[in-house]
Amino acid sequence: MKKLAAGLVVGASILTLAACGSEGGSSSEGENTTLTVGASNVPHAEILEQVQPILEEQGIELVIEAYQDYVLPNQDLDNGDLDANYFQHIPYLESQIADNGYDFVNAGGIHIEPIGLYSKKFGSIDELPEGAVILMSNSVADHGRVLSMLEGAGLITLDPEVEKTTATIEDVIENPKNIEFDPNYEAALLVQMYEQEEGDAVLINSNYALDAGINPLEDSIAIEDSNSPYVNVIAVNAGDEENEAIVALVEALKSDEIQEFILDEWGGSVVPVTE
């Protein structure tokens, strides 16, 4: 199956996105508005599970569809199978819009997942040897992010004239250890590469690390600063950002209750944002 149902559908009557949009997210005659949101398993789907009872009190039935990759959630949002998705950061969303012509908008930023560098062979970034091979995602939207993190850790230097978020491997101007970057892997496979001790170190998105029981704060040998601009957002089709059910979803995700849950559950491996 291309996706797994992670939420429970409560009640016999389910309204479509069109109904949700036309009714502005409100319930009528005892029927709940249904809001279907696609999300990565961890932490996104787990956060949404905490939001379900909050929205239920407002007559909104939140159905969560869990995904294992970064492509299908946008395809399904575009074709109407989803009302919103919650898995991607802003640069990735923007690259997907540019590459695929999606008419998506950011309905609200929720949290940051610091990306980390992991190694089964070396206990610190300083221990990486001459010519070490670092495996990384083939998502170009993440390359500037991980390279900036490695520059901050003192491993490389990027061309100062290049915008950090758009930097590529070719923009590395100083590489004292002659690190070899191998950007040829699906992001979802990087945990497996790490467990199999492929390469010398692996750059892994925190949602995949957490899903595999890896603690980014404890297990990484380098980790992105929590002030990262790579905020994970609720993405919707243009025009739906003003739908009352979408607004209620974003407000619930930004509530003190949910922000405290995020901090308590992941202890800094997932950081809520307030803006």
Side-chain angles (χ1 to χ4, degrees):
M1 296 177 65
K2 69 178 182 180
K3 57 190 178 182
L4 303 175
L8 297 178
V9 180
V10 182
S13 177
I14 302 177
L15 303 182
T16 63
L17 172 60
C20 174
S22 64
E23 294 297 329
S26 63
S27 59
S28 61
E29 297 182 1
E31 293 181 332
N32 281 355
T33 294
T34 296
L35 191 64
T36 303
V37 180
S40 298
N41 280 327
V42 180
H44 307 79
E46 293 187 3
I47 295 171
L48 289 174
E49 287 172 2
Q50 301 300 310
V51 171
Q52 282 177 317
I54 298 175
L55 294 185
E56 185 177 3
E57 292 179 356
Q58 302 176 50
I60 302 169
E61 179 187 350
L62 176 61
V63 178
I64 307 164
E65 298 284 351
Y67 290 78
Q68 300 290 341
D69 78 325
Y70 291 162
V71 177
L72 289 175
N74 278 334
Q75 292 179 351
D76 287 351
L77 178 59
D78 183 57
N79 65 30
D81 286 347
L82 299 173
D83 299 337
N85 66 42
Y86 175 37
F87 76 98
Q88 61 194 323
H89 56 60
I90 294 172
Y92 182 76
L93 172 62
E94 292 175 345
S95 71
Q96 286 283 289
I97 292 171
D99 292 346
N100 299 288
Y102 293 137
D103 191 17
F104 296 163
V105 296
N106 166 11
I110 309 304
H111 74 265
I112 296 167
E113 299 167 26
I115 200 165
L117 181 67
Y118 301 82
S119 177
K120 291 281 190 179
K121 301 175 182 177
F122 304 100
S124 72
I125 198 167
D126 293 333
E127 293 179 14
L128 291 175
E130 174 82 13
V133 176
I134 294 179
L135 310 185
M136 56 194 290
S137 165
N138 57 11
S139 173
V140 177
D142 271 338
H143 289 183
R145 178 184 190 182
V146 299
L147 292 171
S148 297
M149 187 267 285
L150 294 177
E151 180 180 50
L155 194 63
I156 59 171
T157 301
L158 293 170
D159 185 341
E161 296 184 0
V162 173
E163 168 61 39
K164 300 292 187 184
T165 59
T166 60
T168 67
I169 295 169
E170 289 69 29
D171 296 315
V172 176
I173 60 172
E174 292 183 15
N175 186 359
K177 290 189 175 183
N178 294 311
I179 299 297
E180 179 181 342
F181 296 98
D182 185 357
N184 296 306
Y185 300 92
E186 292 289 335
L189 297 178
L190 289 169
V191 167
Q192 179 181 338
M193 308 305 290
Y194 165 67
E195 297 291 358
Q196 293 176 349
E197 301 188 21
E198 299 288 342
D200 294 299
V202 185
L203 286 154
I204 304 176
N205 295 75
S206 283
N207 62 302
Y208 289 124
L210 292 165
D211 199 23
I214 299 169
N215 186 313
L217 295 181
E218 296 178 1
D219 299 329
S220 65
I221 61 173
I223 194 164
E224 184 180 22
D225 189 280
S226 61
N227 293 321
S228 164
Y230 290 83
V231 178
N232 282 231
V233 301
I234 296 294
V236 299
N237 285 292
D240 287 341
E241 69 274 18
E242 297 180 359
N243 179 278
E244 290 183 14
I246 297 295
V247 172
L249 170 66
V250 174
E251 289 179 349
L253 286 165
K254 288 180 170 293
S255 67
D256 290 343
E257 176 184 347
I258 298 303
Q259 290 195 345
E260 289 174 7
F261 167 77
I262 292 172
L263 291 172
D264 291 344
E265 185 72 11
W266 290 288
S269 296
V270 181
V271 182
V273 298
T274 57
E275 298 298 328

